[in-house]
Amino acid sequence: MPPMIRIQNLRKEYRDLVAVKNLNLELEPGDIFGFIGPNGAGKTTTIKMLATLLTPTYGTAYIDGVDVVRYPEAVRSIVGYMPDFFGVYDDIKVWEYLDFFAAAYRIPRAKRAQIIDDVLTLTDLNVKKEAYVESLSRGMKQRLCLAKTLVHDPKVLLLDEPASGLDPRARIEIKELLKELRSMGKTIIVSSHILPELADFCNKIGIIEKGELIISGDVNEIIRQVSGHHTLEIRILDENTPEPSQLSIETLASQTPQEGGVAVKTSAEMERAIALLRSQPGVDEVKRSDGKLLAHYVGEPNQEWRILKALIENDIRVLSFGTQATDLEDIFMRVTKGIVS
Amino acid sequence: MFDNPVFIKEIKSKYRARQSNLTLFAIGSLILLLIIWFYFEALRYLLFASPVITGKEGWAWSVVIQTMILWLVGPALASNAISQEREQQTWEMLTFTLLSPREIVLGKLAARSLPLLFVLLAFFPFMAVCLSLGDIPFHWLPVTYLVFGNCSLFILTLSLFMSWAAGKTATAIALSYLAVAYLVIGTLLIESVLPAMARGSESPNLWLNPIRITMALLEAPGNSYNTSVLLFSQTAFLVLTMLMLFTMLRRWDRWKRD
Ligand SMILES: Nc1ncnc2c1ncn2[C@@H]1O[C@H](COP(=O)(O)OP(=O)(O)OP(=O)(O)O)[C@@H](O)[C@H]1O
Ligand SMILES: [Mg+2]
């Protein structure tokens, strides 16, 4: 199958700043690509170039075989684009807003009513059909924008942080919607700076930093590589750890600065635990942070229990033992350290 | 035009009052009463056995009033047409659709011209009465309305152009009114330092002045001197209008490059 999206040496320079450095990427039809990177990494710039809204300095991309630089019109009819920051026309009704975009995509009048109903159902805005756009909540406006992105039934969706600025519930709603779109067979590029937000519905991810795609590929592959090394978070009972009932501002305050050369009261038990952890195979670094022990684990996957066993056998009173959630920052640290590549 | 989505959307969002039916009815009746009252008073002056004003005077007054409305209200109507879309971040999504720049520009222009059209329409019956009462040659009517139409198109295009060229609505409004101020006052100032004045004649610069154009309309649009004033000014406005439209459509996506 020919790739649905093929990005070739895509580059964008703003005066002396290179926002996107010779990006290359191929996506198959039906791929959901999570485009991850910190602020200013070049996500929006890349997506805008794909959406024909920005002219690349060099290189190009093909969407369904169509060159985005040479045939912007043709690309727009097969692509749905949702910007990271956008406004809506406040002073018209929800259905009129969608009708406007349907008309703007040259959908015949006779077909529009049905399409509007369909996208409203999909985005769960049916009850708001007759309401004015300005009366919608932020999450609803976000869904409305997604609805308008779908009116011309695009094969490819470019969604720039579709869930930014939403509360957890609205985020979940957007996620559900994206899963629905995936099942409809759309090819989607969705950007975010939070990995877990994307991990469960993307089949591919790419991490961009300072305009460079540091890593890209199958999501399970990358997660597997990354989660081979992670941080164990261990809390043990020691004299400095107050009982939860005794927790107060003062005790918390007296607990704080542990890092950066400040002398920290460390009980014998804590010392023992740190020494023990350091001696364990697979642990390459142990830190104290906020009364917890953070052990960086690079050993065999699924053998972390051995460390817990060692702690217990040495009479260390473990309160909790777990893995720190893998977040983007974490992956970045690894990726940039060259652990994964 | 009724197929143009931009036109339809603009009408819905700009001219649909959102008040309750009762408020709407009240406002509507008030405007209607105002127009009726104006007509009543005006016709009373015109039609009584010993009229206070003649048909010709009535004609002159309504031409002056309409000209003032065109030049003063016109810039306010269109100078936020494009900059506002950029300010409220809807511009990108609008240009991302399959709408051509021409459709967007013409749709907006047409929708924003409606208030001026309404003013001209409201005055039309009065103009017709004056025409029939005064000894005004019939050809004044088409000439006057052609000038009105052409000037409206020019003002609206000018402010739309400013809205496209300037980053902010406030700048666009200021620039549009500055252009109008130049035509009304600037041309006069320039004329006063030009040698043409000393010779007792006018330079074509002055012919662009809306006041001078109105004078030409009222004196005798038929006489050959005034005909050249009108022809010159209206051709200049039309050429400028076309030039601005052309520039906008050609350099439409200048924002794309940053
Ligand atoms: N119009 C512009 N002029 C100059 N520099 C720009 C312009 N737009 C973006 N940049 C720069 O390009 C780089 C990439 O920006 P971009 O908006 O693509 O980042 P991003 O990954 O989308 O970040 P965020 O997560 O904050 O949205 C940044 O350093 C930014 O400052
Ligand atoms: Mg961005």
Side-chain angles (χ1 to χ4, degrees), chain A residues 12-15 17-20 35-48 54 84-85 160-161 191-193 208 211, chain B residues 257-258:
Chain A
K12 180 73 189 178
E13 294 169 9
Y14 292 109
R15 271 158 245 112
L17 179 107
V18 185
V20 175
F35 198 29
I36 306 152
N39 293 127
K43 304 182 293 290
T44 300
T45 308
T46 307
I47 288 180
K48 278 194 182 167
L54 210 57
D84 48 353
F85 297 106
D160 201 353
E161 306 206 24
S191 82
S192 175
H193 44 259
I208 184 171
Chain B
R257 278 152 222 286
D258 281 297

Side-chain angles (χ1 to χ4, degrees), chain B residues 236-255:
Chain B
F237 286 166
L238 197 63
V239 168
L240 283 173
T241 302
M242 291 303 151
L243 219 68
M244 287 186 290
L245 285 176
F246 188 71
T247 312
M248 260 191 283
L249 298 185
R250 267 209 56 192
R251 305 203 42 224
W252 187 244
D253 53 4
R254 69 194 186 91
W255 303 96

Side-chain angles (χ1 to χ4, degrees), chain A residues 76 87 89 96 106 134, chain B residues 16 18 85 89 92 95 98:
Chain A
R76 284 172 197 193
Y89 300 116
E96 291 168 342
R106 317 256 187 251
E134 67 183 5
Chain B
R16 179 171 48 190
R18 304 259 296 277
E85 296 248 10
Q89 294 178 310
E92 209 168 49
T95 50
L98 298 182

